[in-house]
Amino acid sequence: KAGVTQTPRYLIKTRGQQVTLSCSPISGHRSVSWYQQTPGQGLQFLFEYFSETQRNKGNFPGRFSGRQFSNSRSEMNVSTLELGDSALYLCASSLGGIYNEQFFGPGTRLTVL
Amino acid sequence: GQQLNQSPQSMFIQEGEDVSMNCTSSSIFNTWLWYKQDPGEGPVLLIALYKAGELTSNGRLTAQFGITRKDSFLNISASIPSDVGIYFCAGSYNNNDMRFGAGTRLTVKP
């Protein structure tokens, strides 16, 4: 069974730009969650999508948004990038949701200059 | 997200030694998960625990769900160089509020 895939793996942007990250979950998983990981803050939950609906949301500003398609693939968008948005963005898929076993992708390393 | 108290923050050990790390919470959980993250990769699920007192092994790894339901332990026996990485705990209660520990960074010297 193929694992969670994320594209791109690396991204360099400048302040003020926007970025879209993509995640393909494990086949059959309907829950896709997004996390931001930084050395200082650790793993922080952004949001979860289940069957194309946002089901849970963390404490991030509205510049961070997402969506999920009918095939469960998900995208995350960050608008008006700030230097502090530099981080590893991880996507995780699960059968039951964020409170159950999650399987993480390799992440997208975003650098904002 | 909110953090669990995970300790130690880092460990430097000799190959062949055993390792212990733990996570504690001020509130009770009914799910504990342990993940390992290699540099530049996403976390990989190692062990999942769903019952207080449960002891589960995965090769040289053993994790326990504390009897108080407020803590969990991960032990690695006979460490090898590929055990290097960051180990995270995560916990939740009744499908609410999944929390992650800050991680334990393990270095194994050959």
Side-chain angles (χ1 to χ4, degrees), chain A residues 20-94:
Chain A
T20 299
L21 312 181
S22 181
C23 172
S24 292
I26 291 172
S27 178
H29 286 191
R30 292 160 65 190
S31 167
V32 174
S33 304
W34 289 89
Y35 295 83
Q36 183 194 66
Q37 186 178 36
T38 59
Q41 298 296 318
L43 265 169
Q44 295 194 87
F45 171 68
L46 281 153
F47 31 66
E48 179 205 10
Y49 284 86
F50 188 92
S51 294
E52 303 179 64
T53 301
Q54 189 179 86
R55 189 162 70 170
N56 289 286
K57 188 176 186 304
N59 190 26
F60 275 80
R63 300 185 297 108
F64 292 81
S65 63
R67 60 178 175 168
Q68 187 179 33
F69 301 95
S70 58
N71 61 358
S72 293
R73 188 177 71 86
S74 177
E75 288 182 347
M76 189 190 87
N77 184 275
V78 188
S79 62
T80 320
L81 284 167
E82 301 176 0
L83 294 178
D85 296 334
S86 294
L88 181 68
Y89 289 89
L90 292 162
C91 160
S93 81
S94 168

Side-chain angles (χ1 to χ4, degrees), chain B residues 43-96:
Chain B
V44 173
L45 182 65
L46 298 173
I47 294 177
L49 303 160
Y50 298 104
K51 188 177 175 182
E54 181 181 355
L55 187 73
T56 298
S57 292
N58 178 5
R60 293 178 297 104
L61 277 62
T62 301
Q64 183 162 25
F65 193 137
I67 200 73
T68 65
R69 301 172 70 186
K70 293 184 178 182
D71 55 11
S72 180
F73 305 87
L74 177 69
N75 296 313
I76 306 173
S77 63
S79 59
I80 59 178
S82 63
D83 290 334
V84 164
I86 302 176
Y87 292 80
F88 291 97
C89 62
S92 73
Y93 177 75
N94 280 356
N95 290 343
N96 281 300

